[in-house]
Amino acid sequence: MSDIVDWVAVDWGTSNLRAWGIATDGSVALQRHSDNGMGKLAREDFPGALSELLDGVTSTRNGPIDVLICGMAGARQGWLEAPYLEAPADLRGLLAGAVHPAMPGSRFAPAILPGVCQKAGADNVMRGEETQLLGLAALQPGFSGVVCLPGTHSKWAQLSGTRVERFSTAMTGEIYEVLRTHSVLRHSLTGDLDGPGRADGFVTGARAGLDHPEQLLGTLFQVRASALLSGRQPDWCAGYLSGLLIGTEIGSNRHLIGQQAVPLIGSSVLCALYAQVLGMIGATGMPQDTTNIVLAGLKAARSYAA
Amino acid sequence: MSDIVDWVAVDWGTSNLRAWGIATDGSVALQRHSDNGMGKLAREDFPGALSELLDGVTSTRNGPIDVLICGMAGARQGWLEAPYLEAPADLRGLLAGAVHPAMPGSRFAPAILPGVCQKAGADNVMRGEETQLLGLAALQPGFSGVVCLPGTHSKWAQLSGTRVERFSTAMTGEIYEVLRTHSVLRHSLTGDLDGPGRADGFVTGARAGLDHPEQLLGTLFQVRASALLSGRQPDWCAGYLSGLLIGTEIGSNRHLIGQQAVPLIGSSVLCALYAQVLGMIGATGMPQDTTNIVLAGLKAARSYAA
């Protein structure tokens, strides 16, 4: 690897900041990352965080080095708000919608890609996932169907080539965390959560969620009741809660899932769980290499210049 | 009112402790309350909290004064665990299932009523609500149908006279609180939550929950998206979240609701909201006077001696 690059691709999320220096032949010349995610930075901290991460990076070109950024750096509480494209949206328009935060005296010329929103009574927003979707479209040209991006706020998007037709957000990961930490269920979720009972709890919860996604407010309480009445241990309860939430999410999106495999973009642990639950309804989940997807998305976004 | 009583009825919940001295003619001779709920007491604090509340209370009888207690004092983390009756259960058996914590040297003879549980793959528990259900059965003899007890953990019970056939728990109130306080939705729920937009948000959320209870993980995120995209204010967002959760709870129990009015037992504010949402599907909610209900339940429990 080398510090000499053509341009720099950046994924700036809530918790992490990752950069790839791209050589003139399109290969990755360098990779860097830090924990300077949007969540811990004030607006004025962004230029310094980027300069620090890219210290010593130089270009063969004259003039400033392009830095193409996707993710939460473009949120209202980020570096500079990048307005949303409105779905249905062709993601080839991402670069044309980018904003350009000032970085006076710097060797870098940053551009932040927009997110995608949806209005007309189905208000929704994504920021970062649109670049991943464009990456999927670039790596699987002609793909048309539903894509699932599991996470704190899972996204389900209908993709047609480079077009996002519509999408929704499920608060699955965040609900798991707030219930585990702050609700009465925490009493049943303290101790070893990764013991041998977890797998059985997961399947039991997933089945309940898949079969009755409309009963979530009720089935959640079974975490507590099962611990009190059936002596379920924390590992089983944690598996049940995780399975219940993922099963409910997939169950509520069942009408979107056809014969075609559902691409899964997210952490490998989470994607494996989603693939398992998709298998329980005879569907197939296809976990993607998320780093490849993000990188392909940033490259593709750059290739469709305004 | 007088400090001379025949026996004492006590509702000992998580947050509050309420007592009524009952005269020999069945009338209420005195009322007292404190904030010494189960939640803030260690096991050894219960006798002192009761003695303090009943200071100066005397009886015309010889011997100790019966104190009949329902609620969380009988929980595992309470004064003394009262085992559950298992549903289907005839609530006339509550007193026979009571436990008798020791109170050496005291003028009081406390008994704590059991809760009701449900097993066989539908694990569930209630503690306190069973006494309210018996109170309803006493005040409306022959009532048969579904009863809703809105709250932190709402209960929906199928009641036939004094029998609880089956029941479920919805974590509606607690989900509202943890999301409002700890999730990303809190950014849209800070400020004046009781402004003029609340009513419209409530109806919009209730409609979404009633129509699509299976979409809760997704519709929850619309609190945030509506604030970001449509400029919804905190009052509207708080109303939407409240309506969405209540609508989802009622929507998921729709199959239990017939032509008959649904008795609502809980805080008057909450019961009014549930009655409003029941009205949106052409059903009728019938808010009860909860104090009357609890008192009737404790009296009825005492009347069915073992």
Side-chain angles (χ1 to χ4, degrees), chain A:
Chain A
M1 296 216 178
S2 146
D3 287 354
I4 304 174
V5 304
D6 183 31
W7 63 285
V8 179
V10 171
D11 181 14
W12 207 323
T14 301
S15 310
N16 290 291
L17 167 58
R18 298 188 298 166
W20 299 269
I22 310 296
T24 42
D25 66 356
S27 65
V28 173
L30 66 88
Q31 294 185 40
R32 296 192 181 168
H33 63 89
S34 87
D35 61 357
N36 273 325
M38 178 275 282
K40 62 170 73 81
L41 299 178
R43 195 174 299 278
E44 61 271 21
D45 299 333
F46 282 82
L50 185 64
S51 295
E52 185 185 320
L53 186 72
L54 299 182
D55 183 47
V57 172
T58 57
S59 167
T60 46
R61 300 193 189 198
N62 288 325
I65 304 172
D66 287 345
V67 179
L68 190 58
I69 302 167
C70 69
M72 294 301 285
R76 194 170 296 177
Q77 65 273 41
W79 187 355
L80 178 64
E81 187 171 7
Y84 300 102
L85 301 191
E86 185 174 343
D90 191 324
L91 298 171
R92 290 179 297 184
L94 285 177
L95 188 62
V99 295
H100 302 269
M103 216 167 151
S106 158
R107 298 173 296 115
F108 301 107
I112 306 177
L113 295 176
V116 173
C117 73
Q118 184 170 267
K119 296 184 181 176
D123 284 359
N124 228 310
V125 290
M126 62 166 65
R127 212 177 259 293
E129 293 90 350
E130 73 297 322
T131 305
Q132 297 174 17
L133 290 169
L134 181 59
L136 183 75
L139 294 174
Q140 298 184 31
F143 174 86
S144 180
V146 71
V147 182
C148 172
L149 303 98
T152 304
H153 298 158
S154 298
K155 306 290 179 187
W156 288 73
Q158 294 282 104
L159 196 66
S160 301
T162 57
R163 278 175 64 86
V164 179
E165 302 293 351
R166 71 193 74 83
F167 67 99
S168 64
T169 304
M171 290 185 62
T172 311
E174 182 160 20
I175 299 274
Y176 180 89
E177 276 308 312
V178 297
L179 291 177
R180 189 180 67 78
T181 312
H182 299 290
S183 82
V184 71
L185 304 186
R186 72 184 186 280
H187 300 301
S188 311
L189 296 166
T190 302
D192 177 15
L193 302 189
D194 295 310
R198 181 156 185 144
D200 178 52
F202 183 82
V203 170
T204 305
R207 189 80 268 159
L210 287 169
D211 290 349
H212 292 290
E214 81 289 357
Q215 294 294 340
L216 182 63
L217 288 173
T219 42
L220 282 172
F221 189 72
Q222 304 228 340
V223 175
R224 182 75 181 137
S226 299
L228 286 171
L229 291 182
S230 302
R232 295 299 191 179
Q233 297 301 304
D235 54 351
W236 191 93
C237 291
Y240 178 88
L241 179 59
S242 166
L244 177 62
L245 288 167
I246 295 173
T248 299
E249 180 188 330
I250 291 175
S252 71
N253 283 294
R254 206 161 177 162
H255 58 291
L256 302 175
I257 302 169
Q259 295 302 308
Q260 185 176 224
V262 178
L264 297 169
I265 305 174
S267 83
S268 56
V269 171
L270 215 44
C271 287
L273 294 174
Y274 276 66
Q276 181 183 347
V277 178
L278 283 165
M280 290 171 69
I281 53 168
T284 306
M286 190 78 83
Q288 308 294 311
D289 179 322
T290 302
T291 298
N292 278 357
I293 289 270
V294 172
L295 206 42
L298 286 160
K299 285 183 186 177
R302 184 175 158 89
S303 74
Y304 298 113

